[in-house]
Amino acid sequence: MQITLPWLRANFQTFNRRYFDGGLPEPRYHIGRSRTRLGSLSFKRKRTWRKVVNYDYSLGMSNYYDQSEHQFQSVLLHEMIHYSIAYTGIRDTSPHGVVFRGIMDRLNRDGWDIHVTTSTRDLGNAATANGASTVRNRQQHLVLAIEMRDGHHFLSVVNPHFARELNNRLNSIPEVSHHSWFVTDDSWFNNMPRVRSLRGRRVDTATYIEKTHAMTPFTL
């Protein structure tokens, strides 16, 4: 199995409600192909005159290995435990200390398979598992589709870090009649730059309809 950004977001929201009382703000998501890290959580830190504050959380997962949905979900929960500890400011004895292990054990009693560390030795490469030899060349793209009032159409591959900023700007541009967000692994987008500003590839109406109908809608 391979995961997508909508899968990651939907499972985060489900587990946030089920295990963390809905208290974790939605982070930025990223899916990569790391061989050494199945999941990751990163954030920025600033010091105020009273305390140190963590912010700008980013949760990433790797599609390099072929895993079952249950395995991917257990990796996600591992990172969400880290997120909960960092966000609430709880002091643990180590990165996988007493607090982490206590939450991990509680979730594992609910049927999950969360570990402090997970060996990748027994995991198959997703590029060859189940004969899926083309997975290696697949990349996940966040795509912005724009329809202009003059009838022109544009498609852009957007750097996820700038998606919300661009989305807000689009709402104030009168020349834009409609815009939508999608995720896709369509190789047609592989050579397009991941933009940080409002620019993209102008396409004809038929291509625009073909591509947008084949992609998965995504809500920021």
mmCIF file of all heavy atoms in Angstrom, residues 165-205:
data_model
loop_
_atom_site.group_PDB
_atom_site.id
_atom_site.type_symbol
_atom_site.label_atom_id
_atom_site.label_comp_id
_atom_site.label_asym_id
_atom_site.label_seq_id
_atom_site.Cartn_x
_atom_site.Cartn_y
_atom_site.Cartn_z
ATOM 1 N N GLU A 165 -1.148 30.509 1.889
ATOM 2 C CA GLU A 165 -0.911 31.909 1.518
ATOM 3 C C GLU A 165 -1.443 32.190 0.116
ATOM 4 O O GLU A 165 -2.119 33.208 -0.117
ATOM 5 C CB GLU A 165 0.587 32.213 1.578
ATOM 6 C CG GLU A 165 0.955 33.603 1.116
ATOM 7 C CD GLU A 165 2.465 33.828 1.068
ATOM 8 O OE1 GLU A 165 3.202 33.060 1.729
ATOM 9 O OE2 GLU A 165 2.899 34.749 0.362
ATOM 10 N N LEU A 166 -1.159 31.291 -0.835
ATOM 11 C CA LEU A 166 -1.642 31.479 -2.195
ATOM 12 C C LEU A 166 -3.166 31.380 -2.255
ATOM 13 O O LEU A 166 -3.818 32.121 -2.996
ATOM 14 C CB LEU A 166 -1.008 30.442 -3.122
ATOM 15 C CG LEU A 166 0.517 30.514 -3.283
ATOM 16 C CD1 LEU A 166 0.985 29.525 -4.341
ATOM 17 C CD2 LEU A 166 0.966 31.922 -3.639
ATOM 18 N N ASN A 167 -3.718 30.463 -1.476
ATOM 19 C CA ASN A 167 -5.175 30.308 -1.461
ATOM 20 C C ASN A 167 -5.858 31.600 -0.988
ATOM 21 O O ASN A 167 -6.862 32.034 -1.549
ATOM 22 C CB ASN A 167 -5.561 29.143 -0.557
ATOM 23 C CG ASN A 167 -7.012 28.745 -0.710
ATOM 24 O OD1 ASN A 167 -7.434 28.263 -1.765
ATOM 25 N ND2 ASN A 167 -7.791 28.940 0.332
ATOM 26 N N ASN A 168 -5.294 32.221 0.019
ATOM 27 C CA ASN A 168 -5.857 33.475 0.522
ATOM 28 C C ASN A 168 -5.755 34.592 -0.510
ATOM 29 O O ASN A 168 -6.676 35.399 -0.659
ATOM 30 C CB ASN A 168 -5.149 33.891 1.810
ATOM 31 C CG ASN A 168 -5.451 32.966 2.965
ATOM 32 O OD1 ASN A 168 -6.479 32.291 2.980
ATOM 33 N ND2 ASN A 168 -4.556 32.918 3.941
ATOM 34 N N ARG A 169 -4.641 34.619 -1.242
ATOM 35 C CA ARG A 169 -4.470 35.660 -2.260
ATOM 36 C C ARG A 169 -5.454 35.476 -3.408
ATOM 37 O O ARG A 169 -5.986 36.455 -3.949
ATOM 38 C CB ARG A 169 -3.039 35.634 -2.787
ATOM 39 C CG ARG A 169 -1.994 36.126 -1.798
ATOM 40 C CD ARG A 169 -0.606 36.030 -2.375
ATOM 41 N NE ARG A 169 -0.474 36.774 -3.628
ATOM 42 C CZ ARG A 169 0.559 36.683 -4.444
ATOM 43 N NH1 ARG A 169 1.551 35.875 -4.145
ATOM 44 N NH2 ARG A 169 0.603 37.403 -5.553
ATOM 45 N N LEU A 170 -5.728 34.232 -3.775
ATOM 46 C CA LEU A 170 -6.630 33.973 -4.893
ATOM 47 C C LEU A 170 -8.033 34.501 -4.638
ATOM 48 O O LEU A 170 -8.729 34.929 -5.564
ATOM 49 C CB LEU A 170 -6.690 32.461 -5.166
ATOM 50 C CG LEU A 170 -5.497 31.883 -5.932
ATOM 51 C CD1 LEU A 170 -5.471 30.368 -5.798
ATOM 52 C CD2 LEU A 170 -5.572 32.282 -7.397
ATOM 53 N N ASN A 171 -8.448 34.470 -3.385
ATOM 54 C CA ASN A 171 -9.797 34.918 -3.053
ATOM 55 C C ASN A 171 -10.003 36.413 -3.294
ATOM 56 O O ASN A 171 -11.141 36.886 -3.330
ATOM 57 C CB ASN A 171 -10.110 34.592 -1.593
ATOM 58 C CG ASN A 171 -10.224 33.097 -1.356
ATOM 59 O OD1 ASN A 171 -10.659 32.355 -2.230
ATOM 60 N ND2 ASN A 171 -9.832 32.642 -0.176
ATOM 61 N N SER A 172 -8.914 37.153 -3.469
ATOM 62 C CA SER A 172 -9.031 38.601 -3.656
ATOM 63 C C SER A 172 -8.676 39.047 -5.082
ATOM 64 O O SER A 172 -8.556 40.239 -5.335
ATOM 65 C CB SER A 172 -8.115 39.333 -2.655
ATOM 66 O OG SER A 172 -6.744 39.006 -2.886
ATOM 67 N N ILE A 173 -8.509 38.098 -6.005
ATOM 68 C CA ILE A 173 -8.158 38.434 -7.381
ATOM 69 C C ILE A 173 -9.409 38.335 -8.249
ATOM 70 O O ILE A 173 -9.921 37.230 -8.500
ATOM 71 C CB ILE A 173 -7.055 37.499 -7.920
ATOM 72 C CG1 ILE A 173 -5.790 37.625 -7.071
ATOM 73 C CG2 ILE A 173 -6.750 37.818 -9.386
ATOM 74 C CD1 ILE A 173 -4.682 36.682 -7.485
ATOM 75 N N PRO A 174 -9.939 39.449 -8.722
ATOM 76 C CA PRO A 174 -11.213 39.429 -9.450
ATOM 77 C C PRO A 174 -11.139 38.697 -10.791
ATOM 78 O O PRO A 174 -12.153 38.214 -11.290
ATOM 79 C CB PRO A 174 -11.543 40.910 -9.643
ATOM 80 C CG PRO A 174 -10.237 41.625 -9.514
ATOM 81 C CD PRO A 174 -9.435 40.825 -8.529
ATOM 82 N N GLU A 175 -9.940 38.606 -11.398
ATOM 83 C CA GLU A 175 -9.816 37.936 -12.692
ATOM 84 C C GLU A 175 -9.983 36.427 -12.601
ATOM 85 O O GLU A 175 -10.191 35.748 -13.608
ATOM 86 C CB GLU A 175 -8.458 38.254 -13.327
ATOM 87 C CG GLU A 175 -8.280 39.707 -13.743
ATOM 88 C CD GLU A 175 -7.870 40.599 -12.579
ATOM 89 O OE1 GLU A 175 -7.659 40.082 -11.453
ATOM 90 O OE2 GLU A 175 -7.755 41.824 -12.794
ATOM 91 N N VAL A 176 -9.884 35.883 -11.385
ATOM 92 C CA VAL A 176 -10.018 34.433 -11.179
ATOM 93 C C VAL A 176 -11.481 34.107 -10.914
ATOM 94 O O VAL A 176 -12.097 34.625 -9.976
ATOM 95 C CB VAL A 176 -9.153 33.967 -9.998
ATOM 96 C CG1 VAL A 176 -9.408 32.485 -9.701
ATOM 97 C CG2 VAL A 176 -7.675 34.202 -10.299
ATOM 98 N N SER A 177 -12.045 33.239 -11.739
ATOM 99 C CA SER A 177 -13.446 32.864 -11.547
ATOM 100 C C SER A 177 -13.601 31.668 -10.612
ATOM 101 O O SER A 177 -14.601 31.541 -9.913
ATOM 102 C CB SER A 177 -14.097 32.540 -12.895
ATOM 103 O OG SER A 177 -13.477 31.422 -13.510
ATOM 104 N N HIS A 178 -12.590 30.783 -10.601
ATOM 105 C CA HIS A 178 -12.684 29.591 -9.753
ATOM 106 C C HIS A 178 -11.296 28.991 -9.584
ATOM 107 O O HIS A 178 -10.477 29.040 -10.497
ATOM 108 C CB HIS A 178 -13.618 28.552 -10.389
ATOM 109 C CG HIS A 178 -13.783 27.304 -9.572
ATOM 110 N ND1 HIS A 178 -14.528 27.267 -8.414
ATOM 111 C CD2 HIS A 178 -13.293 26.049 -9.747
ATOM 112 C CE1 HIS A 178 -14.499 26.050 -7.911
ATOM 113 N NE2 HIS A 178 -13.751 25.299 -8.690
ATOM 114 N N HIS A 179 -11.039 28.437 -8.406
ATOM 115 C CA HIS A 179 -9.794 27.687 -8.206
ATOM 116 C C HIS A 179 -10.054 26.490 -7.309
ATOM 117 O O HIS A 179 -10.951 26.526 -6.453
ATOM 118 C CB HIS A 179 -8.685 28.577 -7.625
ATOM 119 C CG HIS A 179 -8.892 28.956 -6.192
ATOM 120 N ND1 HIS A 179 -9.689 30.026 -5.798
ATOM 121 C CD2 HIS A 179 -8.408 28.422 -5.050
ATOM 122 C CE1 HIS A 179 -9.673 30.134 -4.490
ATOM 123 N NE2 HIS A 179 -8.909 29.167 -4.008
ATOM 124 N N SER A 180 -9.275 25.425 -7.523
ATOM 125 C CA SER A 180 -9.433 24.182 -6.765
ATOM 126 C C SER A 180 -8.058 23.595 -6.475
ATOM 127 O O SER A 180 -7.091 23.838 -7.204
ATOM 128 C CB SER A 180 -10.257 23.159 -7.556
ATOM 129 O OG SER A 180 -11.517 23.675 -7.908
ATOM 130 N N TRP A 181 -8.010 22.793 -5.413
ATOM 131 C CA TRP A 181 -6.775 22.113 -5.031
ATOM 132 C C TRP A 181 -6.950 20.614 -5.197
ATOM 133 O O TRP A 181 -8.016 20.067 -4.937
ATOM 134 C CB TRP A 181 -6.410 22.429 -3.584
ATOM 135 C CG TRP A 181 -6.059 23.866 -3.364
ATOM 136 C CD1 TRP A 181 -6.898 24.888 -3.007
ATOM 137 C CD2 TRP A 181 -4.753 24.457 -3.484
ATOM 138 N NE1 TRP A 181 -6.210 26.073 -2.907
ATOM 139 C CE2 TRP A 181 -4.903 25.843 -3.189
ATOM 140 C CE3 TRP A 181 -3.497 23.954 -3.809
ATOM 141 C CZ2 TRP A 181 -3.813 26.715 -3.207
ATOM 142 C CZ3 TRP A 181 -2.416 24.821 -3.828
ATOM 143 C CH2 TRP A 181 -2.575 26.177 -3.539
ATOM 144 N N PHE A 182 -5.864 19.957 -5.614
ATOM 145 C CA PHE A 182 -5.886 18.518 -5.831
ATOM 146 C C PHE A 182 -4.552 17.902 -5.389
ATOM 147 O O PHE A 182 -3.546 18.606 -5.267
ATOM 148 C CB PHE A 182 -6.092 18.189 -7.317
ATOM 149 C CG PHE A 182 -7.356 18.715 -7.914
ATOM 150 C CD1 PHE A 182 -7.393 19.984 -8.493
ATOM 151 C CD2 PHE A 182 -8.513 17.959 -7.905
ATOM 152 C CE1 PHE A 182 -8.558 20.479 -9.051
ATOM 153 C CE2 PHE A 182 -9.689 18.451 -8.465
ATOM 154 C CZ PHE A 182 -9.722 19.712 -9.035
ATOM 155 N N VAL A 183 -4.563 16.590 -5.173
ATOM 156 C CA VAL A 183 -3.322 15.829 -5.012
ATOM 157 C C VAL A 183 -3.313 14.734 -6.067
ATOM 158 O O VAL A 183 -4.363 14.200 -6.443
ATOM 159 C CB VAL A 183 -3.181 15.208 -3.606
ATOM 160 C CG1 VAL A 183 -2.930 16.277 -2.559
ATOM 161 C CG2 VAL A 183 -4.393 14.380 -3.241
ATOM 162 N N THR A 184 -2.121 14.426 -6.556
ATOM 163 C CA THR A 184 -1.991 13.432 -7.612
ATOM 164 C C THR A 184 -0.573 12.897 -7.670
ATOM 165 O O THR A 184 0.368 13.561 -7.217
ATOM 166 C CB THR A 184 -2.357 14.048 -8.982
ATOM 167 O OG1 THR A 184 -2.283 13.037 -9.994
ATOM 168 C CG2 THR A 184 -1.407 15.184 -9.346
ATOM 169 N N ASP A 185 -0.424 11.686 -8.222
ATOM 170 C CA ASP A 185 0.915 11.167 -8.523
ATOM 171 C C ASP A 185 1.108 11.041 -10.037
ATOM 172 O O ASP A 185 1.994 10.319 -10.503
ATOM 173 C CB ASP A 185 1.161 9.830 -7.822
ATOM 174 C CG ASP A 185 0.182 8.737 -8.257
ATOM 175 O OD1 ASP A 185 -0.646 8.988 -9.162
ATOM 176 O OD2 ASP A 185 0.238 7.631 -7.689
ATOM 177 N N ASP A 186 0.292 11.753 -10.794
ATOM 178 C CA ASP A 186 0.383 11.753 -12.251
ATOM 179 C C ASP A 186 1.754 12.260 -12.686
ATOM 180 O O ASP A 186 2.158 13.383 -12.364
ATOM 181 C CB ASP A 186 -0.722 12.657 -12.810
ATOM 182 C CG ASP A 186 -0.811 12.620 -14.334
ATOM 183 O OD1 ASP A 186 0.125 12.140 -14.984
ATOM 184 O OD2 ASP A 186 -1.833 13.104 -14.866
ATOM 185 N N SER A 187 2.490 11.452 -13.436
ATOM 186 C CA SER A 187 3.848 11.822 -13.858
ATOM 187 C C SER A 187 3.852 13.018 -14.809
ATOM 188 O O SER A 187 4.909 13.608 -15.050
ATOM 189 C CB SER A 187 4.534 10.624 -14.519
ATOM 190 O OG SER A 187 3.811 10.194 -15.662
ATOM 191 N N TRP A 188 2.698 13.394 -15.336
ATOM 192 C CA TRP A 188 2.597 14.574 -16.200
ATOM 193 C C TRP A 188 3.083 15.824 -15.481
ATOM 194 O O TRP A 188 3.587 16.756 -16.105
ATOM 195 C CB TRP A 188 1.138 14.742 -16.641
ATOM 196 C CG TRP A 188 0.878 15.785 -17.680
ATOM 197 C CD1 TRP A 188 0.961 15.648 -19.043
ATOM 198 C CD2 TRP A 188 0.455 17.140 -17.452
ATOM 199 N NE1 TRP A 188 0.629 16.821 -19.674
ATOM 200 C CE2 TRP A 188 0.298 17.764 -18.723
ATOM 201 C CE3 TRP A 188 0.189 17.889 -16.309
ATOM 202 C CZ2 TRP A 188 -0.101 19.078 -18.874
ATOM 203 C CZ3 TRP A 188 -0.213 19.211 -16.450
ATOM 204 C CH2 TRP A 188 -0.355 19.798 -17.712
ATOM 205 N N PHE A 189 2.975 15.822 -14.153
ATOM 206 C CA PHE A 189 3.367 16.986 -13.361
ATOM 207 C C PHE A 189 4.812 16.918 -12.861
ATOM 208 O O PHE A 189 5.283 17.868 -12.231
ATOM 209 C CB PHE A 189 2.439 17.123 -12.148
ATOM 210 C CG PHE A 189 1.005 17.434 -12.506
ATOM 211 C CD1 PHE A 189 0.074 16.410 -12.637
ATOM 212 C CD2 PHE A 189 0.588 18.741 -12.715
ATOM 213 C CE1 PHE A 189 -1.250 16.686 -12.966
ATOM 214 C CE2 PHE A 189 -0.732 19.027 -13.043
ATOM 215 C CZ PHE A 189 -1.646 17.993 -13.169
ATOM 216 N N ASN A 190 5.522 15.828 -13.121
ATOM 217 C CA ASN A 190 6.832 15.631 -12.503
ATOM 218 C C ASN A 190 7.843 16.722 -12.840
ATOM 219 O O ASN A 190 8.682 17.079 -12.012
ATOM 220 C CB ASN A 190 7.411 14.278 -12.913
ATOM 221 C CG ASN A 190 6.769 13.125 -12.166
ATOM 222 O OD1 ASN A 190 5.893 13.327 -11.326
ATOM 223 N ND2 ASN A 190 7.197 11.904 -12.466
ATOM 224 N N ASN A 191 7.798 17.242 -14.056
ATOM 225 C CA ASN A 191 8.799 18.228 -14.473
ATOM 226 C C ASN A 191 8.376 19.673 -14.230
ATOM 227 O O ASN A 191 9.096 20.603 -14.611
ATOM 228 C CB ASN A 191 9.126 18.033 -15.960
ATOM 229 C CG ASN A 191 9.821 16.717 -16.233
ATOM 230 O OD1 ASN A 191 10.604 16.244 -15.409
ATOM 231 N ND2 ASN A 191 9.529 16.114 -17.374
ATOM 232 N N MET A 192 7.236 19.850 -13.597
ATOM 233 C CA MET A 192 6.792 21.208 -13.297
ATOM 234 C C MET A 192 7.407 21.661 -11.979
ATOM 235 O O MET A 192 7.519 20.882 -11.032
ATOM 236 C CB MET A 192 5.259 21.264 -13.213
ATOM 237 C CG MET A 192 4.574 21.003 -14.542
ATOM 238 S SD MET A 192 2.745 20.978 -14.430
ATOM 239 C CE MET A 192 2.401 22.667 -13.894
ATOM 240 N N PRO A 193 7.839 22.911 -11.883
ATOM 241 C CA PRO A 193 8.438 23.395 -10.632
ATOM 242 C C PRO A 193 7.394 23.505 -9.528
ATOM 243 O O PRO A 193 6.212 23.738 -9.786
ATOM 244 C CB PRO A 193 8.973 24.782 -11.022
ATOM 245 C CG PRO A 193 8.097 25.207 -12.150
ATOM 246 C CD PRO A 193 7.773 23.956 -12.920
ATOM 247 N N ARG A 194 7.825 23.340 -8.294
ATOM 248 C CA ARG A 194 6.944 23.522 -7.135
ATOM 249 C C ARG A 194 6.955 25.000 -6.780
ATOM 250 O O ARG A 194 7.846 25.485 -6.107
ATOM 251 C CB ARG A 194 7.413 22.658 -5.965
ATOM 252 C CG ARG A 194 7.416 21.167 -6.272
ATOM 253 C CD ARG A 194 8.017 20.377 -5.127
ATOM 254 N NE ARG A 194 7.114 20.294 -4.003
ATOM 255 C CZ ARG A 194 7.493 19.941 -2.770
ATOM 256 N NH1 ARG A 194 8.773 19.701 -2.529
ATOM 257 N NH2 ARG A 194 6.612 19.861 -1.794
ATOM 258 N N VAL A 195 5.945 25.706 -7.229
ATOM 259 C CA VAL A 195 5.961 27.162 -7.155
ATOM 260 C C VAL A 195 5.593 27.666 -5.763
ATOM 261 O O VAL A 195 4.920 26.984 -4.982
ATOM 262 C CB VAL A 195 5.009 27.779 -8.206
ATOM 263 C CG1 VAL A 195 5.386 27.326 -9.597
ATOM 264 C CG2 VAL A 195 3.548 27.413 -7.899
ATOM 265 N N ARG A 196 6.053 28.877 -5.482
ATOM 266 C CA ARG A 196 5.721 29.564 -4.240
ATOM 267 C C ARG A 196 4.881 30.808 -4.505
ATOM 268 O O ARG A 196 4.493 31.505 -3.570
ATOM 269 C CB ARG A 196 7.000 29.981 -3.506
ATOM 270 C CG ARG A 196 7.946 28.827 -3.227
ATOM 271 C CD ARG A 196 9.175 29.318 -2.491
ATOM 272 N NE ARG A 196 10.098 28.236 -2.199
ATOM 273 C CZ ARG A 196 11.170 28.350 -1.431
ATOM 274 N NH1 ARG A 196 11.470 29.537 -0.886
ATOM 275 N NH2 ARG A 196 11.956 27.330 -1.204
ATOM 276 N N SER A 197 4.633 31.097 -5.776
ATOM 277 C CA SER A 197 3.866 32.279 -6.168
ATOM 278 C C SER A 197 2.807 31.853 -7.174
ATOM 279 O O SER A 197 2.762 30.704 -7.611
ATOM 280 C CB SER A 197 4.791 33.335 -6.775
ATOM 281 O OG SER A 197 5.471 32.812 -7.909
ATOM 282 N N LEU A 198 1.955 32.799 -7.553
ATOM 283 C CA LEU A 198 0.857 32.484 -8.457
ATOM 284 C C LEU A 198 1.337 32.470 -9.904
ATOM 285 O O LEU A 198 1.222 33.452 -10.646
ATOM 286 C CB LEU A 198 -0.266 33.499 -8.271
ATOM 287 C CG LEU A 198 -1.039 33.367 -6.959
ATOM 288 C CD1 LEU A 198 -2.060 34.479 -6.827
ATOM 289 C CD2 LEU A 198 -1.703 32.005 -6.849
ATOM 290 N N ARG A 199 1.884 31.363 -10.289
ATOM 291 C CA ARG A 199 2.264 31.144 -11.684
ATOM 292 C C ARG A 199 2.054 29.666 -11.994
ATOM 293 O O ARG A 199 2.078 28.819 -11.104
ATOM 294 C CB ARG A 199 3.715 31.542 -11.951
ATOM 295 C CG ARG A 199 4.749 30.813 -11.113
ATOM 296 C CD ARG A 199 6.113 31.452 -11.263
ATOM 297 N NE ARG A 199 7.134 30.780 -10.473
ATOM 298 C CZ ARG A 199 7.900 29.806 -10.919
ATOM 299 N NH1 ARG A 199 7.765 29.379 -12.179
ATOM 300 N NH2 ARG A 199 8.819 29.245 -10.144
ATOM 301 N N GLY A 200 1.814 29.365 -13.246
ATOM 302 C CA GLY A 200 1.554 27.984 -13.616
ATOM 303 C C GLY A 200 1.603 27.786 -15.115
ATOM 304 O O GLY A 200 1.956 28.697 -15.877
ATOM 305 N N ARG A 201 1.219 26.606 -15.537
ATOM 306 C CA ARG A 201 1.238 26.253 -16.954
ATOM 307 C C ARG A 201 -0.157 26.461 -17.537
ATOM 308 O O ARG A 201 -1.140 25.909 -17.038
ATOM 309 C CB ARG A 201 1.660 24.799 -17.136
ATOM 310 C CG ARG A 201 1.655 24.327 -18.588
ATOM 311 C CD ARG A 201 2.008 22.864 -18.708
ATOM 312 N NE ARG A 201 3.366 22.619 -18.249
ATOM 313 C CZ ARG A 201 3.917 21.396 -18.176
ATOM 314 N NH1 ARG A 201 3.195 20.337 -18.540
ATOM 315 N NH2 ARG A 201 5.155 21.257 -17.754
ATOM 316 N N ARG A 202 -0.213 27.269 -18.593
ATOM 317 C CA ARG A 202 -1.493 27.466 -19.277
ATOM 318 C C ARG A 202 -1.807 26.240 -20.123
ATOM 319 O O ARG A 202 -0.945 25.753 -20.871
ATOM 320 C CB ARG A 202 -1.435 28.719 -20.146
ATOM 321 C CG ARG A 202 -2.739 29.026 -20.869
ATOM 322 C CD ARG A 202 -2.610 30.334 -21.630
ATOM 323 N NE ARG A 202 -3.699 30.502 -22.580
ATOM 324 C CZ ARG A 202 -3.810 31.544 -23.397
ATOM 325 N NH1 ARG A 202 -2.885 32.501 -23.381
ATOM 326 N NH2 ARG A 202 -4.816 31.628 -24.237
ATOM 327 N N VAL A 203 -3.030 25.713 -19.980
ATOM 328 C CA VAL A 203 -3.433 24.508 -20.713
ATOM 329 C C VAL A 203 -4.762 24.774 -21.406
ATOM 330 O O VAL A 203 -5.523 25.678 -21.028
ATOM 331 C CB VAL A 203 -3.564 23.298 -19.762
ATOM 332 C CG1 VAL A 203 -2.226 22.942 -19.140
ATOM 333 C CG2 VAL A 203 -4.610 23.560 -18.678
ATOM 334 N N ASP A 204 -5.045 23.952 -22.425
ATOM 335 C CA ASP A 204 -6.334 24.105 -23.101
ATOM 336 C C ASP A 204 -7.442 23.503 -22.244
ATOM 337 O O ASP A 204 -7.188 22.778 -21.274
ATOM 338 C CB ASP A 204 -6.289 23.474 -24.496
ATOM 339 C CG ASP A 204 -5.924 21.991 -24.479
ATOM 340 O OD1 ASP A 204 -6.493 21.247 -23.654
ATOM 341 O OD2 ASP A 204 -5.074 21.580 -25.283
ATOM 342 N N THR A 205 -8.661 23.778 -22.610
ATOM 343 C CA THR A 205 -9.804 23.353 -21.802
ATOM 344 C C THR A 205 -9.879 21.838 -21.679
ATOM 345 O O THR A 205 -10.173 21.303 -20.594
ATOM 346 C CB THR A 205 -11.112 23.889 -22.413
ATOM 347 O OG1 THR A 205 -11.047 25.311 -22.512
ATOM 348 C CG2 THR A 205 -12.308 23.500 -21.571
#
